[in-house]
Amino acid sequence: MTGRIIQFGTSRFLQAHVDLFVHEAREAGQAVGPIAVVQASGSADRAGRVAAFGRPEGYPVIIRGLENGTRIERRIDVRSVDRGLSAARDWEVVSELFATEADLIVSNTADAGYEVAAADRDPALLAGGVPQSFPGKLTALLHRRWRQGGRPLTVLPCELINGNGRVLAETVRALATDAQAPAAFLAWLERDVIFADTLVDRIVSQALDPIGAVAEPYALWAIERRPGLAAPFDHPCVVMADDLGPFERLKLHILNLGHTVLADIWRSEGRDPDETVKAILADGAVRDRLDGLYRAEVLPGFAAHGMGEEAQAYLATTMDRFLNPFLDHRISDIAQNHATKVERRIDAFLSWWGEAGGVPATPLLDGVMARRASPPNTARSGA
């Protein structure tokens, strides 16, 4: 089992996903954790959230939805987190904790989290200051751990990026090379640090103040097996898989693609700024558009790759999740980083489909791509 976990990212998603799973594993008697949550960005609006982590009473996660056809609502007080830290303010504390105590690193730094600041591509990266980007911070922390003779480490990134572990590992190695790190450090990274690919899936629709979240019952954390990697702990939502490909395609190109299509409709039509997924789908015209898009422009792509049955089943589950009467999943949240999401969820889907043969006309998906960079229409529909 895993001891100290350091988590980069304070998001409500991680609060209701990894942090909750660790809490439940600890409650079941497993020797895992605790978790130190680190705010990787310098965002001032997260200061209250950081300060609230580590309260002995924990924080609430409310699970609402349908489970085996039955409506459920339950509250869990998550007590797996023992401290909250700011990388900008507490860098020395974070560095020492990382170097001496960590067994597992978890991150969720949003879609743009792997972007590297120009200032981090310099030998000064390893000079002891606070790097600007998350990959820069991770590289500097790994270097300090190596210098202090640190033991092997596992990194389980949770960003929704295909091959997230491989991408993050390559980024860290490139930064270490740019920083003129010793060859012995690069060898240690290859030998003693496992960057695993993972896939996360849970709709976390609402943040509670100052910390806590409302989430659906469905949850998945799929981790791809590789030599030397063991499951971080035992939990029914944690799956060790030989291949994440099928999990990734279904989630990214059905659930996430559907969210992005709804965000496009919301952005382009000037709809209610507080509109939720269940509210927009109560509009029959929108529901018909989404159903038609899935039927004519998405499911055939999965069928072309021999995944037709799996896609049909996952789509049925997805629509139940979208229509969950308990969740108020604001489309304004989904619409953040919209252009990047269109690229990863729609462009990538059409490219994947093309690998299996010619792609027929996809006018609805093409329209979303054409509007990706357009500013939102702020005029309310019907006004």
Side-chain angles (χ1 to χ4, degrees):
M1 294 300 168
T2 300
R4 165 67 65 186
I5 299 170
I6 297 182
Q7 171 182 306
F8 291 92
T10 65
S11 69
R12 70 191 190 213
F13 175 82
L14 287 177
Q15 293 174 46
H17 193 268
V18 175
D19 300 345
L20 172 61
F21 299 165
V22 172
H23 166 81
E24 291 176 331
R26 288 164 66 90
E27 290 292 292
Q30 298 180 48
V32 55
I35 301 170
V37 173
V38 178
Q39 180 192 19
S41 72
S43 176
D45 62 358
R46 299 292 175 90
R49 184 182 295 181
V50 172
F53 280 114
R55 292 176 179 173
E57 68 271 22
Y59 63 82
V61 172
I62 299 170
I63 305 296
R64 291 179 178 149
L66 300 177
E67 199 168 58
N68 298 322
T70 302
R71 291 190 176 201
I72 66 162
E73 180 170 352
R74 65 178 181 269
R75 169 179 168 145
I76 304 102
D77 290 318
V78 175
R79 296 185 298 277
S80 56
V81 179
D82 70 346
R83 70 186 75 179
L85 299 166
S86 164
R89 185 190 64 234
D90 306 309
W91 184 244
E92 181 55 35
V93 175
V94 172
S95 299
E96 186 62 19
L97 196 68
F98 191 104
T100 60
E101 293 189 25
D103 288 319
L104 177 68
I105 306 303
V106 174
S107 67
N108 190 326
T109 55
D111 291 303
Y114 292 177
E115 294 180 0
V116 176
D120 289 344
R121 299 185 184 278
D122 188 273
L125 178 70
L126 306 180
V130 184
Q132 293 185 22
S133 61
F134 166 62
K137 291 180 175 70
L138 183 59
T139 304
L141 291 167
L142 286 165
H143 183 257
R144 174 160 173 171
R145 185 181 177 97
W146 167 75
R147 283 195 296 107
Q148 295 186 205
R151 60 189 182 279
L153 185 69
T154 296
V155 181
L156 298 179
C158 297
E159 291 81 6
L160 188 60
I161 296 172
N162 287 340
N164 49 17
R166 293 189 297 273
V167 172
L168 185 57
E170 290 167 3
T171 304
V172 166
R173 292 178 191 123
L175 283 171
T177 301
D178 290 343
Q180 301 173 15
F185 172 59
L186 293 171
W188 179 81
L189 285 177
E190 290 285 347
R191 183 185 67 248
D192 288 345
V193 182
I194 296 174
F195 289 85
D197 293 340
T198 82
L199 176 77
V200 296
D201 193 358
R202 170 168 255 173
I203 297 173
V204 182
S205 62
Q206 181 182 347
L208 302 178
D209 188 39
I211 53 173
V214 179
E216 65 172 341
Y218 180 91
L220 172 70
W221 192 14
I223 302 170
E224 189 167 272
R225 292 190 181 94
R226 60 188 54 197
L229 176 65
F233 49 88
D234 294 327
H235 190 279
C237 295
V238 178
V239 176
M240 301 298 293
D242 292 326
D243 181 11
L244 294 186
F247 295 97
E248 292 171 341
R249 294 296 180 186
L250 291 168
K251 179 179 185 292
L252 191 64
H253 300 322
I254 293 181
L255 185 140
N256 296 128
L257 179 148
H259 273 157
T260 295
V261 170
L262 293 176
D264 171 73
I265 294 170
W266 177 83
R267 283 166 48 89
S268 62
E269 296 184 357
R271 300 179 70 94
D272 184 342
D274 294 322
E275 193 165 37
T276 63
V277 170
K278 68 181 178 183
I280 197 172
L281 287 175
D283 182 332
V286 173
R287 174 66 185 271
D288 288 345
R289 287 165 65 185
L290 184 63
D291 287 343
L293 181 145
Y294 276 134
R295 182 176 59 254
E297 301 187 17
V298 174
L299 292 180
F302 281 92
H305 280 273
M307 293 180 62
E309 291 185 8
E310 297 94 325
Q312 287 275 7
Y314 189 81
L315 176 58
T317 299
T318 295
M319 293 309 299
D320 285 343
R321 295 168 70 187
F322 282 176
L323 298 171
N324 183 341
F326 296 94
L327 290 188
D328 294 320
H329 197 180
R330 288 165 55 95
I331 299 178
S332 59
D333 292 338
I334 296 169
Q336 294 179 17
N337 300 312
H338 181 69
T340 300
K341 290 175 179 176
V342 170
E343 178 182 351
R344 291 175 179 165
R345 300 171 179 186
I346 297 178
D347 281 0
F349 168 68
L350 294 174
S351 296
W352 175 66
W353 186 351
E355 294 171 6
V359 180
T362 53
L364 297 176
L365 292 178
D366 292 344
V368 177
M369 290 192 293
R371 291 185 293 270
R372 77 180 80 182
S374 301
N377 180 357
T378 56
R380 290 283 296 275
S381 59

